[in-house]
Amino acid sequence: MKILSIDSSSTCSTCSILEDNKLLGEIIYNDKKQHSIILLSQIDSLLENLNIDIVNIDAFVVSEGPGSFTGLRIGLATAKGLAQGLNKPIIGVSTLDCLAHNIAFFDGIICPIMDALRDNVYTSIYKFSGENLERIKDYMAIHIDELIQMLKENGDPKVCFVGDATYKFKEKLSNSFPNSYFAPAHLNIARASSLGELGIKKLLNGDQDNLFTFSPIYLRKSQAEREYENKIRMVPNE
């Protein structure tokens, strides 16, 4: 079974192809948000270099968020178009699940943090039970200080932080948690290969998404929506 996975939820644009439990190839660009320009060419390049025809892909896995609103929509539209055109399954995997999976078998708490601007983060809390990744808190968009307070409710946990927000908050988190660890740079992105591994597990369990109702996990309203609501509140009642 060949799986093509796609992630464009952040500045990183990445795609990979897995065949069963083997990673055949992966392309990662982590520079600028040019997903609408480069994502399809990445996929074409990956297929060409692996000498795989797109019709031989058995399912498509895509990041369902949270993350960049525009990036998520580009990735999802691409995966949906391919899945519908080829009549193949589509599976959504959370970006946060993917980041946590990067830190496989860490024996403490795993806390992915993605920058949500204004000192907020997209986050959740995980632990490994044997070979299984367990999410022990739901997906959240909260202030970094709220996250610190939440984690401190468990005393002084052994915790590994992973994600692009670690660069922004590393000093604050290090001072708050003496028993803290931080993922290396190559694991601080939601790699398409990790996304694909989780997607394969879901597919084998009979879990796939409805092509026509599947939508991203945003966790919060877009800036345009917030600005519009503020304008509405400022209009005086007649």
Side-chain angles (χ1 to χ4, degrees), residues 174-191:
S174 295
N175 292 336
S176 300
F177 301 100
N179 199 18
S180 59
Y181 300 79
F182 295 88
H186 71 286
L187 296 181
N188 273 327
I189 56 177
R191 299 181 66 110

Side-chain angles (χ1 to χ4, degrees), residues 56-89:
N56 294 320
I57 296 297
D58 297 296
F60 296 90
V61 179
V62 63
S63 172
E64 62 185 2
S68 159
F69 285 42
T70 301
L72 286 170
R73 287 192 286 264
I74 291 170
L76 192 55
T78 301
K80 279 189 171 186
L82 292 170
Q84 184 174 10
L86 296 167
N87 194 27
K88 298 293 177 69

Side-chain angles (χ1 to χ4, degrees), residues 90-135:
I90 186 170
I91 302 99
V93 174
S94 165
T95 319
L96 294 168
D97 291 359
C98 179
L99 285 167
H101 183 70
N102 285 354
I103 315 299
F105 312 125
F106 181 72
D107 62 351
I109 291 173
I110 302 170
C111 185
I113 49 174
M114 300 175 63
D115 190 6
L117 305 179
R118 299 180 181 178
D119 288 343
N120 294 301
V121 293
Y122 299 123
T123 188
S124 185
I125 299 173
Y126 302 79
K127 65 177 180 179
F128 268 89
S129 177
E131 295 185 357
N132 297 316
L133 178 67
E134 295 183 355
R135 189 176 70 246

Side-chain angles (χ1 to χ4, degrees), residues 6-10 35-36 39 62-81 90 95 214-218 220-225:
I6 298 167
D7 183 274
S8 56
S9 61
S10 65
H35 306 318
S36 61
L39 184 57
V62 63
S63 172
E64 62 185 2
S68 159
F69 285 42
T70 301
L72 286 170
R73 287 192 286 264
I74 291 170
L76 192 55
T78 301
K80 279 189 171 186
I90 186 170
T95 319
F214 178 29
S215 60
I217 300 171
Y218 290 127
R220 63 181 179 87
K221 295 179 180 179
S222 69
Q223 181 177 347
E225 289 175 305

